[in-house]
Amino acid sequence: MQNICKKSLGILCSGLLIFSGVMHSMTAKALDNGIYIAKCTPYYVHPVTGVVEDRGGIESEGIGQPMTDSATYPTALIEVDPNGNTYATVRLSLMDNIENVSFKVQADGNAPFNDVDYDIMQENLDDNTTDFRMQIPSENSYLRATFYVVPMSRDVVYYIGFSDLQPGSADFVTSVEVTSPAEKTSEGGSEATTAASDEVTTTTTTTTSPVGNFVAGDTNCDGKVELADAIL
């Protein structure tokens, strides 16, 4: 009876390992060429490592997290071009109180952060928002956002992650070409030309002035930036 139990337990464990491997393979599959809307989640505390780099420290999480929520639009744009390169467009709010925006990116929650350049895709002066587009390793990457908050007279540091991707672009500016499924190889094994779909999406990138030109004195934040003062 004991041998039977041991054998059954071994089979169960093997099945779980196989299932785990299959799920990992499905999760790791790269996104297809396309344009996606994603949930954009800000984290005052790094969601994987638990690190806090903001000067307020872990003691200020109760105020720091609502502040990062206020500064980050809850939806982001993820684009994958025909060559498999992935781009994220993140929308920041409270821009009339923010200067010197910069980002770093990590491939996953345990990877080192690397500097990344961005393009400003569009600005909405009425809503105090600006869209920042940058290349990322994949949709599983994390961003480290840093900017100077004028009312606080200091930098704020937090993290951004993406999830729940769905096809679409909402009101974001898109920049990649979406092609039809490629007929990669011919019968002889040579590469065939990739045919572009009739539904190709191409949008011209908008170039705007640097973020640092925002005027800090004219606030229109519905009181959200008052959260920042409590961190000092």
Side-chain angles (χ1 to χ4, degrees):
M1 180 68 179
Q2 188 175 15
N3 289 336
I4 294 175
C5 290
K6 287 182 178 179
K7 185 175 181 180
S8 299
L9 182 61
I11 294 173
L12 177 62
C13 290
S14 298
L16 288 174
L17 287 173
I18 293 172
F19 178 76
S20 176
V22 171
M23 292 303 295
H24 176 75
S25 176
M26 291 174 63
T27 302
K29 183 180 181 298
L31 281 177
D32 291 331
N33 168 219
I35 299 171
Y36 306 87
I37 287 295
K39 180 180 179 182
C40 183
T41 305
Y43 302 96
Y44 182 76
V45 180
H46 193 287
V48 177
T49 64
V51 170
V52 177
E53 294 185 72
D54 186 73
R55 195 179 76 183
I58 190 64
E59 297 82 6
S60 297
E61 181 183 3
I63 296 173
Q65 185 60 51
M67 183 189 67
T68 61
D69 292 339
S70 297
T72 311
Y73 194 71
T75 303
L77 182 74
I78 302 294
E79 300 175 281
V80 182
D81 70 16
N83 296 319
N85 299 309
T86 304
Y87 300 86
T89 300
V90 175
R91 179 171 296 168
L92 296 186
S93 306
L94 311 180
M95 287 306 303
D96 55 355
N97 287 279
I98 290 174
E99 298 177 350
N100 303 327
V101 177
S102 65
F103 295 95
K104 292 179 180 288
V105 63
Q106 62 178 167
D108 58 60
N110 293 302
F113 280 102
N114 296 305
D115 293 329
V116 62
D117 295 326
Y118 61 76
D119 294 314
I120 295 177
M121 303 304 292
Q122 62 179 341
E123 297 173 300
N124 187 322
L125 299 180
D126 293 330
D127 292 338
N128 294 323
T129 63
T130 299
D131 291 2
F132 301 85
R133 182 180 188 264
M134 66 214 77
Q135 187 170 356
I136 60 176
S138 76
E139 75 279 9
N140 299 313
S141 302
Y142 288 95
L143 297 177
R144 178 186 185 271
T146 304
F147 48 72
Y148 183 81
V149 180
V150 176
M152 297 171 61
S153 299
R154 74 169 179 87
D155 287 336
V156 167
V157 182
Y158 69 103
Y159 313 96
I160 297 172
F162 310 105
S163 61
D164 301 336
L165 275 67
Q166 299 291 335
S169 60
D171 60 346
F172 287 94
V173 175
T174 61
S175 302
V176 304
E177 180 181 272
V178 179
T179 61
S180 64
E183 297 177 359
K184 295 291 185 182
T185 56
S186 64
E187 185 176 347
S190 62
E191 289 190 356
T193 303
T194 301
S197 170
D198 291 334
E199 297 180 357
V200 170
T201 302
T202 304
T203 307
T204 303
T205 300
T206 303
T207 302
T208 57
S209 58
V211 175
N213 289 342
F214 283 97
V215 179
D218 184 17
T219 59
N220 185 20
C221 309
D222 295 329
K224 292 178 181 176
V225 79
E226 291 176 5
L227 293 169
D229 296 330
I231 296 182
L232 293 176

